Structures are given as structure tokens and as C-alpha cells.
Amino acid sequence: MNRIRRVGIVGCGVMGAGLAEVCARAGLDVLVAVSRPSRVADGRGKLVTSLDNKLRKGKLSEAERDAALSRVSFTASLADFADRQFVIEAGPEQELVKLDVFATLDKVVADPGAILGSNTSSFPIVQLGRVTDRPGMVVGTHFFNPVTVLPLVELVGSVLTEESTVATAETFVTDVLGKQVVRTKDRSGFVVNALLIPYLLSAIRVYESGVASMADIDKAMKLGCAHPMGPFGLSDLIGLDIVQAISESLYREYREPHYSPPPLLARMVSAGLLGKKSGRGFYDYTPASTERAAAA
């Protein structure tokens, strides 16, 4: 494949916006697909806010900010991805949504050598590949939140992914985007979430059993294990819906009880208490809140 210059990002939530920024600052032509035309302003707003914050902190110049913004455009139609060389899907962690996206990308992306990547946290890459006529070009590219800060990308090849695809994706992620890669097999949770999610679920169960308060559990893990964040603060940052989705994926694959979502987590997701992105999760993040009070 020729040098990758034209990148597509499907989705402009927290992860999609971060991916768009990283790619734009790397000098790439970035096209971001949003769910509907009314979301274009919101998507661009996320990008502007993030870049302006870095400008204020002296992490980039005004010229660099303007150049990055000029490289990003938006669309509400995946049909506009025809000329893309590398597409990264960063939509909701929902099976039917992802399958539909990959089936559509397979039809519209003209270059048969274009790589189709997914930022999924846990969904099997082989299933995404099988809805396309190019399963050898489908790979997992799992970035971490915040994308603009965390250096890791889990690179996941399925049993159908060609080695040349994985190698090209690794070169792109490391040499162009400046990230670090770990390769992992196509197993639910990959490496990081296979280890992290059971820990987060265990913390919820410890709280549910009345051993300690959420604040004290977070404090214990930060001060006793030198973690930068406690499990409840981290769950809120990840998004409780994402934690639940990964938990369910792990449980489907391994059928081990410690992977199943605790009742409290399921109830909070049902109530729309998803963490920082919704303004309230285990803690309250609304502007009117004088302290991060527990939400449950």
C-alpha cells in the first residue's frame, strides 16, 4: 500500500473526536462520519474545544491548531468514504451497529487494499471481517481514552486478517501517529480489558456487599496500590455503558461468573447514569455539584 494519507473516522464521540485530532495533528486528511447532519456542529465543537485547551496550555501554536482544524471535514454519509485508505470505526459498543458499519464500508470504500479498523474494546474482529468481502483487511485498532494522551494501541488480527494488514497498521500507528503497539489475539477483552474489567466489577461487588464506601475504595486503591485513579472514578471515565458492554462480551465468551455485570452496574446504565459523559455516574459531575457526591 502507498503511504496512508486519507483517513476516515466513523463516529465523533469521545473516542472518535480524539482519533480525529490525533490523525489531523499527524498531518493526515481526516473525514469524520457522524450519525446525522445535526451532529456535525457538535463533532467540530469537540475538536475545537480540545485544540483550544492545548493552545491555552502552550502545547501547540495557533498556526498548528488552525492547520489541524483545516485537515478535518465531516459527513453524515459513509458513501463519502470512497477514497479513504484507512478507516477506523469508533461507534457505540453495540454488535448490530458495528456489523452494519463494516458491511457498508465494504461496499463504499473503493480501494480493495484499504484497511478497515475497529476501535472496539471487546467485540470479535473475525465477526466484523466476515460481513465484508475483505476479511483479510479488517483489524482491531483499540485506542485508549483520552486518545490524545494515552500512548497505547492494542492491535488485533483475527484468524482471517492478513499479516501484511497487521504490519501496515502497526507501521501507521507507530510511525505516523506516534503511538505504541501491543499485538494481541482476537479474544474478548484483548489484554487490557481482560485484566481491567474484572477488577472494576470486583470493586462494585465489594461496595455492594457493604465492605467500604466508594470513596474509600477509590482512596484505598490510589494510596495502597499507587493507582492514579480508583475503580469508581475510572469506571466513570470509561463510561458505565462501556464497562457493562465489555463485561457482557467477556461473560459470553468465557462463561465465568466474575465477568458478569453486577446488578448495581446494570441498574445505573438502565437509568442513564453513564459517568462523566452523562454528568453523573458513581460520582456527580454536574456543574451545580459542589462535590463529587456518590450517585448510588
Side-chain angles (χ1 to χ4, degrees):
M1 172 182 277
N2 295 328
R3 181 176 181 272
I4 296 170
R5 299 177 184 275
R6 298 182 301 279
V7 174
I9 308 294
V10 181
C12 200
V14 173
M15 296 302 293
L19 285 166
E21 180 177 340
V22 167
C23 290
R25 292 190 66 187
L28 301 169
D29 173 345
V30 185
L31 180 59
V32 181
V34 294
S35 57
R36 53 187 180 275
S38 61
R39 298 302 300 271
V40 169
D42 179 59
R44 181 168 290 279
K46 286 188 179 78
L47 186 60
V48 170
T49 297
S50 179
L51 291 170
D52 282 349
N53 285 338
K54 291 178 177 64
L55 178 63
R56 284 193 295 272
K57 294 175 182 178
K59 295 183 177 180
L60 80 170
S61 67
E62 188 171 345
E64 289 171 327
R65 179 202 61 184
D66 293 345
L69 285 172
S70 72
R71 298 185 187 110
V72 182
S73 54
F74 293 82
T75 180
S77 174
L78 289 180
D80 293 333
F81 276 39
D83 69 339
R84 298 294 100 176
Q85 298 168 291
F86 199 131
V87 179
I88 303 175
E89 174 271 323
E93 198 71 2
Q94 298 172 14
E95 177 179 357
L96 294 180
V97 172
K98 292 185 183 297
L99 293 175
D100 182 64
V101 166
F102 272 81
T104 302
L105 289 174
D106 185 46
K107 294 180 177 67
V108 302
V109 177
D111 183 355
I115 295 175
L116 306 182
S118 176
N119 189 59
T120 181
S121 304
S122 61
F123 196 73
I125 303 304
V126 69
Q127 292 189 32
L128 300 178
R130 286 192 64 194
V131 299
T132 75
D133 290 329
R134 58 180 101 187
M137 305 305 296
V138 176
V139 66
T141 49
H142 182 213
F143 292 75
F144 289 79
N145 182 32
V147 180
T148 57
V149 176
L150 294 185
L152 180 65
V153 178
E154 289 181 316
L155 200 58
V156 189
S158 81
V159 293
L160 299 177
T161 306
E162 296 174 8
E163 170 56 29
S164 60
T165 300
V166 180
T168 299
E170 181 168 1
T171 298
F172 173 74
V173 167
T174 56
D175 294 358
V176 179
L177 301 186
K179 299 293 186 179
Q180 297 183 44
V181 162
V182 294
R183 291 198 185 195
T184 172
K185 293 185 182 300
D186 188 15
R187 300 292 185 272
S188 183
F190 312 136
V191 173
V192 172
N193 283 320
L195 298 172
L196 174 63
I197 295 301
Y199 157 67
L200 299 179
L201 301 179
S202 179
I204 297 171
R205 292 190 178 97
V206 168
Y207 167 69
E208 282 188 305
S209 68
V211 173
S213 69
M214 287 188 289
D216 279 348
I217 294 170
D218 273 357
K219 181 178 180 180
M221 296 309 295
K222 287 189 286 185
L223 300 184
C225 294
H227 289 193
M229 299 183 71
F232 294 100
L234 180 55
S235 294
D236 279 350
L237 178 62
I238 295 170
L240 303 193
D241 54 333
I242 302 300
V243 174
Q244 182 185 39
I246 300 170
S247 169
E248 291 171 342
S249 177
L250 286 164
Y251 183 71
R252 281 195 302 272
E253 180 137 321
Y254 298 109
R255 296 298 178 184
E256 295 182 12
H258 66 282
Y259 288 131
S260 62
L264 176 59
L265 176 64
R267 297 296 186 276
M268 292 180 70
V269 172
S270 293
L273 304 177
L274 307 182
K276 291 192 73 172
K277 62 185 174 184
S278 70
R280 188 179 169 195
F282 287 113
Y283 296 104
D284 191 342
Y285 302 90
T286 55
S289 177
T290 57
E291 60 181 22
R292 293 175 62 202

